[in-house]
Amino acid sequence: MWIETKTEVEEASRSRAGFSRRVLDGLMLCTGDMEHLDTYIQEKWFVLQLAVWGLRGVARVILANNPLSGALILAALYWASPWQGLLGTLGVLASTLTAVIVGQDSGDVAGGLHGFNGMLVALLMGVFSSAGDWYWWLLLPVCLGSAACVFLSSGLTTLLDHWDLPAAVFPFNIIIVLYLLCTGTNSPYFPHDPVTPPGAVEPNDTALIAVEVIRGIPLGVGQIYATGALGPSLLILGAVVLYSPLLGIHAVLGSAVGTLAGLSMAVRHDSLYSGLSGFNGALGCMAVGGLFFTFSWRTHLFAIASAFLSAYSDIALSNLLGTVGLPACSWAATLIATLMLLLTGSLAGYRIPIGQVKAPECNLRSRSQWEAGNTEERESTDV
Amino acid sequence: MWIETKTEVEEASRSRAGFSRRVLDGLMLCTGDMEHLDTYIQEKWFVLQLAVWGLRGVARVILANNPLSGALILAALYWASPWQGLLGTLGVLASTLTAVIVGQDSGDVAGGLHGFNGMLVALLMGVFSSAGDWYWWLLLPVCLGSAACVFLSSGLTTLLDHWDLPAAVFPFNIIIVLYLLCTGTNSPYFPHDPVTPPGAVEPNDTALIAVEVIRGIPLGVGQIYATGALGPSLLILGAVVLYSPLLGIHAVLGSAVGTLAGLSMAVRHDSLYSGLSGFNGALGCMAVGGLFFTFSWRTHLFAIASAFLSAYSDIALSNLLGTVGLPACSWAATLIATLMLLLTGSLAGYRIPIGQVKAPECNLRSRSQWEAGNTEERESTDV
Amino acid sequence: MWIETKTEVEEASRSRAGFSRRVLDGLMLCTGDMEHLDTYIQEKWFVLQLAVWGLRGVARVILANNPLSGALILAALYWASPWQGLLGTLGVLASTLTAVIVGQDSGDVAGGLHGFNGMLVALLMGVFSSAGDWYWWLLLPVCLGSAACVFLSSGLTTLLDHWDLPAAVFPFNIIIVLYLLCTGTNSPYFPHDPVTPPGAVEPNDTALIAVEVIRGIPLGVGQIYATGALGPSLLILGAVVLYSPLLGIHAVLGSAVGTLAGLSMAVRHDSLYSGLSGFNGALGCMAVGGLFFTFSWRTHLFAIASAFLSAYSDIALSNLLGTVGLPACSWAATLIATLMLLLTGSLAGYRIPIGQVKAPECNLRSRSQWEAGNTEERESTDV
């Protein structure tokens, strides 16, 4: 009997282990780049494909490449403001469709590489508009601006390809600045408020509230999607952790570094509380810590340096662009991440060629195989 | 008798046909790039060669490469204002001669590639000067500024050559901005008025006059040469049509698109009436529609997109530079045309290598031969 | 006796000649690039090596590469202001050590290529600070800013390497502008005064004093190190002459050209008197006249053109950046020198590949050998 019981217990435990393994496997299928999904949807309807491409595009904003993360983020945006959610959805669809129409590389389109700039343009147009929510005329510039991102994205990729650099969010930054310059503060059709630079003197100099500053750190992750509410910001952070826990840690770390930099430069309290001080640091930290470079303690230190550089550059650019009432958006993080990708010396050894960038955990795993096989390719891209 | 009569009639008709064919042939000789002229003047005096190079340079401003078009345009400038005509002539000669002296490629010099930037600098210096016509001291900066264009043109060509991009009118745009910054509005020697941005609020908000707006469309073509009069603008348009009717159509179309963009952004009425809203659109449309890309209905649609992008970018840049009293010149069209040349996807298939760009009609004709022969060359320039 | 006497005299004169030859040889050892020192210190302590690398870095600011020149310049800085001297020393050490830590190329570090940007950042932070001398908190941004230069220097080198262009002082110019933007004029920790543009109207329009203007010419050489005193400026000029007399001549010539350009544009008297009008001209002239190009009468003419272009661009950029209270630093000279390196035509024939740049006298001597050997290498870098 004992033997049988043992076998039963073993079997039960095995089936339990099998179940939890299956759950884990199922969970594992939802993390990382989810490449298996691409083969699955290949022969499905165009609408389903477009949805997956769009969701990948949504997640790409925060450097993730996972449609489930994208869905979570989109949910967070609708939660924060249904109007912003709608604009974001429209933006990502408009630019992805434009990319299909103007004949961009289908691999890029499927990877969501043509969606994230359009989405950001749409979100920021909504945030800066002073005409209030549900101002339907705004859909016109949202569609056109998102579509224009595809042109910039394609052109910049050709330009930067020589150094194996991505176009990143340069198209978004250019288009949103052009849009805000075009309309101006007194436009009769698309009015927007001028932006206050972080270095501006505050009317009444109150003491800094520590808990609000700490609350600004997770908000910094949400500010990547121009969301200033805590719940949606945490959901967005969750979406990043789903894609890659390592990236999630760097996001929070970068946002904290950005807040620290903001404190050291005595920026407006508002900037710290809303997370606006943190989001460039977060982006700069995420780009270096694991995504474009294999993770190691050295890369980690460089990621912190990148976060500091991004945060200080953001304060500087915000003060500069603030003199003409413009926001600095994510110019700082984009420029610093590009600089980091160009760096020679010890960091360059960890560099992953742009075409082979995957989730940080995946990068870490595949490094040894890749190192053996693609040495000659690396050399040719390093010219 | 009948037979003879018939023969006579035939002969007469043949001679008539022969005459009209000869006329047509003569006319055909004057259209397009007029390459036969180069072999004809090769062994003539330097002054005659310089005149042809200069006239090509004059036409190059509006993307044409035909000395007769250049002569027509120069006549239009002298018609609009003899002082401006003189400045333009001086500018094109100063920069062409500088290019000869500093040892630039003789093919480029003969093609007028070193003349058009100098001419534009000279014209714009005259237009922005608040010292009035016939202020002879202005000839000094005109000569120096035009000469400086050669340095910028040569350096930028080396820089952009890697992507097979032309230096275009970047040198002019840089030099004129530097000149205006250098002298400032309160310079005792070379004063100029600050520029009003198109987004500025108008003192008295009158209704828009439709006929004036429509009149602004051909004026937009003239504004490429900083000319605001209707007659000379039409003559300039005629010169473009002489070089290539297709280019002429795109010039008017682009100017109309620019005016439309200006209307949608509610720019100052003055901008619309004077054609200043249209000229960037015209340049952006001409560059894509036939010149740097083989003409087709796809290219045509991209040309319209390029016109819209140029026009909106121009409004944005004008508002930005207007905050420090500077004009946006043709920065927008130059940047957008450069972007279009960098584009991947379906437009890239129509791209003509910079060294083989001819009149649109000629591009269209030679495409099939060129496609067969130069495939490998294209690949090497597309890297 | 006569014969013996003659022999004695001969011997005496010979020994005298031998002595002066030895003196001359000793002096010759101290001029030029002093490459023999590198082999000598190779196996010495790290502190001594670091000192030599740092002194090379100090001299690199003024395009010299000689530790003795560096020592003289450092002495001049301490003479002008001990606080500035300390900041400069700290800056050059901070950036050189950072370069060692982040694993930059050891040859570059030993050549002082990572020190000069850091030093300039430190000096300018001190000059613009309105907190007075011996404000110890300033050491924090000085160290961080100098360290950041290494990142920019490394990244820009990769970017510009394709055209065989040096990163030059771009990192310094970027970092100092970012620092000034970051802190702003009303920063509680690191305050600084806004900069008055050279084109600003003067409160009381007094006559120009010729002797002060002439005094501004040597001061222009000192202003490269942000020093406005005559004695230290002359010592700095002496240090340049020690490295290369040809470079020294071009420094004074360029400063004179810059002053002339300033006069022609009626800049503020202060700009002329302090040498601020001259230093960009000096840098632009030195870069072309002998350093990056083999010296000849043609190069000399191009050097003068480069000085004029640098000086006028500096006035323009100073006026532009002055609208937001920023200085133009050495943006103008750096951009124009980069442009000159890109130039095609007769100047390109004299171009020395960046890796083979030595003291002008040395360049002149080695040109013939180099021309024979490295033709194929030149071609590959000229692509």
Side-chain angles (χ1 to χ4, degrees), chain A residues 162-163 199 201 263-266 302 309 312-313 315-316 319-320 323 339-340 342-346, chain C residues 101-104 148 151-152 154-156 158-159 162-163 178 181-183 186 188-190 324 326:
Chain A
H162 173 61
W163 297 277
V201 190
L263 282 171
S264 78
M265 281 295 140
F302 275 106
L309 283 172
Y312 282 118
S313 305
I315 298 171
N319 281 337
L320 177 65
T323 58
L339 179 72
M340 286 289 164
L342 285 170
L343 228 57
T344 54
S346 52
Chain C
I101 291 165
V102 302
Q104 292 298 307
F151 288 80
L152 273 168
S154 172
L156 283 176
T158 312
L159 199 69
H162 173 62
W163 297 276
L178 287 180
L181 280 170
C182 234
T183 55
N186 42 39
Y189 309 135
F190 310 109
V324 283
L326 290 174

Side-chain angles (χ1 to χ4, degrees), chain A residues 19-308:
Chain A
F19 176 75
S20 42
R21 202 189 313 124
R22 274 199 301 275
V23 168
L24 207 72
D25 280 2
L27 201 69
M28 282 313 260
L29 279 174
C30 300
T31 63
D33 298 294
M34 289 185 71
E35 284 176 337
H36 50 89
L37 195 70
D38 290 343
T39 49
Y40 179 75
I41 62 158
Q42 212 149 38
E43 279 142 50
K44 294 286 182 302
W45 308 309
F46 179 70
V47 175
L48 186 71
Q49 287 186 319
L50 188 65
V52 173
W53 300 345
L55 290 176
R56 278 194 193 275
V58 171
R60 282 270 186 187
V61 170
I62 203 158
L63 307 173
N65 179 14
N66 179 315
L68 272 181
S69 296
L72 277 178
I73 290 163
L74 209 57
L77 290 177
Y78 273 102
W79 177 14
S81 153
W83 171 241
Q84 284 291 100
L86 177 72
L87 288 182
T89 314
L90 191 68
V92 78
L93 289 179
S95 58
T96 306
L97 278 173
T98 308
V100 173
I101 291 166
V102 304
Q104 292 297 307
D105 181 70
S106 59
D108 287 359
V109 173
L113 283 172
H114 285 291
F116 65 101
N117 279 297
M119 189 199 189
L120 278 171
V121 165
L123 288 175
L124 271 286
M125 278 183 179
V127 165
F128 288 119
S129 168
S130 60
D133 282 7
W134 311 108
Y135 176 68
W136 295 102
W137 282 109
L138 199 65
L139 300 190
L140 207 69
V142 157
C143 286
L144 292 178
S146 302
C149 280
V150 176
F151 288 81
L152 272 167
S153 191
S154 172
L156 283 175
T157 302
T158 312
L159 199 68
L160 295 170
D161 189 55
H162 173 61
W163 297 277
D164 195 29
L165 293 172
V169 282
F170 280 121
F172 146 66
N173 283 305
I174 294 168
I175 293 287
I176 194 71
V177 162
L178 288 180
Y179 167 74
L180 293 177
L181 279 170
C182 233
T183 55
T185 50
N186 42 41
S187 162
Y189 309 136
F190 310 109
H192 63 85
D193 300 317
V195 177
T196 321
V201 190
E202 285 180 284
N204 49 345
D205 203 8
T206 53
L208 208 63
I209 308 158
V211 73
E212 287 273 319
V213 173
I214 292 166
R215 198 170 157 271
I217 296 175
L219 285 183
V221 179
Q223 282 290 3
I224 296 175
Y225 288 90
T227 287
L230 190 60
S233 294
L234 289 174
L235 189 54
I236 290 169
L237 187 58
V240 179
V241 171
L242 174 71
Y243 173 63
S244 150
L246 210 55
L247 212 58
I249 292 165
H250 278 99
V252 178
L253 183 69
S255 189
V257 164
T259 305
L260 209 68
L263 282 171
S264 78
M265 281 295 140
V267 300
R268 284 183 312 118
H269 296 177
D270 235 40
S271 260
L272 297 169
Y273 297 165
S274 64
L276 280 172
S277 291
F279 85 96
N280 268 284
L283 281 172
C285 196
M286 288 161 84
V288 176
L291 195 74
F292 293 123
F293 299 91
T294 315
F295 182 75
S296 76
W297 65 268
R298 268 175 196 250
T299 328
H300 186 63
L301 292 181
F302 275 106
I304 293 169
S306 169
F308 269 111

Side-chain angles (χ1 to χ4, degrees), chain B residues 102-104 154 158 181-182 189, chain C residues 163 264 312 319 342-346:
Chain B
V102 303
Q104 292 298 306
S154 172
T158 313
L181 280 170
C182 234
Y189 309 137
Chain C
W163 297 276
S264 78
Y312 281 118
N319 281 338
L342 285 170
L343 228 58
T344 54
S346 52

